[in-house]
Structure formats: structure tokens, C-alpha cells
Amino acid sequence: MTATASNQARPWTAEIALRMRRLFLLKLGGTIAFTWIFFIGYFQLLRHPTQQPITMPLTALDLLIPFQPYTLVAYLSLWFYIGFAPGLQRNFAELVVFGLWEAALCLSGLAVFYVFPTAVPALTFDVSGFPGFAMLQGVDATGNAFPSMHVAVAIFTAMHVEDVLRRARVPWTLRLLNVLWFLAIAWSTLAVRQHVVLDVIGGAMLGMAFAVPSLRWRPRSDVPMARADPLPAAFANRTNL
């Protein structure tokens, strides 16, 4: 039986479990380290912009969207959600290529912040009394607005997760949940007043600009894992939980 036929014959639950177990520690540690490194650059540009940030304009849609403090949960869930895409990569080669594409996405966003610093309009009301918002304002100020990296990374993740779920023949309900999670994150950036509509559009365009080619130019996922994974056997055994 070929690798492709074997993958298709395997139940979707077994395929997803296999992907999640494979190189688990490497995926977990790599995602944490990657996020930490990104935040170093992000906060450096946030606190030391190269010029006076330009305030992003409000659109008519921005004026219609009410402040919804409870959506902060969806906003913060991004940092859990982004772990699914690398976590579902099937072998070391896929994981490395995925990481390189995501790094290119993040570097592009930071380059825009460096050349074109922006900020969202100042709030006209005090939100510090709402749970979690005092911390949010102290950590993630309203700079680095356009494009929304929250949305860019979320849509990049959503498209990669959808690709895996589709090829694994996962039920449509779980695929819909992935889409709804992305939409909740994107909506929350507006509802908690961290971004405006133009930021979200820019972030979605940036994320798709890297997601589409990254799904086209990547290692073949139907190559047998023992041949496709160049990790030493001892390391692979420690990370294959």
C-alpha cells in the first residue's frame, strides 16, 4: 500500500492524533520561542517608533461596532490558537518550512511597523474597569495598528489548519469550528478597540499573501514519515509522545 493510500485509509482521528503527537516537544518549545522572539521586535517598535505614529481613520463600519469587553477572551485566545497549525504538521520538514513562512509573515509585518508606524484613535471612555483591560492597555498599547498582526497570524493559522482538516477528512463541524474561531478573533480586535476595520483588512491581506504560497510550496505530506523526517532517531524518540 502506498503512503498516500495509507493516509487516506487511516481514520481521521488517528491521523490527527498522529500529527499532534509527532515532535510534540519540539513544536511546543518552538512555538513558545518563536512567539517570544516576535514580541521582542514587536514591543521594541511599539515603544520606540521611528517617527510619530499616524492615527488610523475610522470608517462608517467602525462607528457601528459596539464596544464588547467580553470578546477579550476571543482576542487573547489567539495565543492558544496559533499552536494548532505547527502542532498539526506531520514531520520535521513540514514543520521547518511552515516556520519559515510564518517567520517571513511576521518579519513583513514588523517591517511595515518600522517604516509606517500607526496607532488606533484614542478611546473616548475608560475601559480600565473591565476585567483584563488594565493589563491589556499596559502591555499592548494601541500602536502597531496597521496591518493587524492578530488577524494576519490568525488567518495564516486558519488556512493551514483547514488544509490539514480537509486532507484528513475531518467532519465539517470541526472545520466550521476552525473558521468560527478565526472570525471570533478577527471580530474581537474591533470589539475591544485594539484595531479599526482598515487594520483588519490589511492584516487579512497580509496573512493570505503568505498563506496561499505557503500551502503551494511545501514538502509533500504523503511521503513516508521515516524517509521524510531527517531528525536523528534518538531525538525523534524523545519527542514522539
Side-chain angles (χ1 to χ4, degrees):
M1 180 182 294
T2 65
T4 301
S6 177
N7 291 345
Q8 292 177 345
R10 181 183 292 116
W12 71 266
T13 51
E15 174 65 18
I16 296 301
L18 172 67
R19 287 174 174 271
M20 294 179 68
R21 290 197 311 269
R22 185 66 174 172
L23 306 175
F24 175 78
L25 295 180
L26 178 62
K27 293 171 179 177
L28 177 62
T31 300
I32 294 173
F34 182 92
T35 305
W36 184 262
I37 293 171
F38 169 77
F39 269 127
I40 292 175
Y42 179 88
F43 286 125
Q44 179 67 22
L45 293 174
L46 182 66
R47 292 161 183 163
H48 306 285
T50 55
Q51 56 185 302
Q52 183 63 30
I54 298 173
T55 301
M56 293 297 295
L58 294 172
T59 66
L61 183 56
D62 287 301
L63 300 177
L64 293 175
I65 298 174
F67 175 63
Q68 299 171 321
Y70 57 86
T71 60
L72 181 62
V73 175
Y75 184 84
L76 297 177
S77 74
L78 172 73
W79 309 118
F80 179 72
Y81 182 60
I82 59 173
F84 282 96
L88 289 172
Q89 300 306 304
R90 203 171 191 273
N91 53 54
F92 183 71
E94 285 189 7
L95 183 62
V96 169
V97 172
F98 172 86
L100 290 174
W101 278 109
E102 189 167 42
L105 164 63
C106 292
L107 287 173
S108 297
L110 293 178
V112 175
F113 298 153
Y114 179 83
V115 176
F116 183 60
T118 52
V120 298
L123 294 175
T124 58
F125 55 94
D126 182 22
V127 299
S128 60
F130 294 98
F133 277 86
M135 179 198 70
L136 180 65
Q137 289 184 316
V139 174
D140 189 7
T142 54
N144 290 350
F146 179 90
S148 167
M149 291 305 295
H150 232 74
V151 174
V153 175
I155 199 169
F156 184 86
T157 299
M159 293 177 69
H160 274 271
V161 171
E162 161 60 18
D163 177 72
V164 171
L165 299 183
R166 176 183 55 81
R167 289 188 290 117
R169 303 176 187 273
V170 170
W172 68 269
T173 50
L174 293 180
R175 294 171 61 184
L176 178 60
L177 179 62
N178 175 51
V179 174
L180 293 176
W181 196 342
F182 159 70
L183 291 176
I185 291 172
W187 175 262
S188 72
T189 65
L190 301 170
V192 300
R193 297 294 191 267
Q194 287 297 109
H195 288 285
V196 299
V197 168
L198 292 178
D199 301 335
V200 171
I201 294 174
M205 293 177 64
L206 177 64
M208 289 189 292
F210 283 89
V212 171
S214 70
L215 290 170
R216 178 178 178 86
W217 291 297
R218 59 181 177 173
R220 289 171 52 114
S221 61
D222 58 349
V223 176
M225 293 177 64
R227 295 171 53 191
D229 194 340
L231 276 182
F235 184 80
N237 288 338
R238 284 198 297 270
T239 57
N240 189 6
L241 301 181

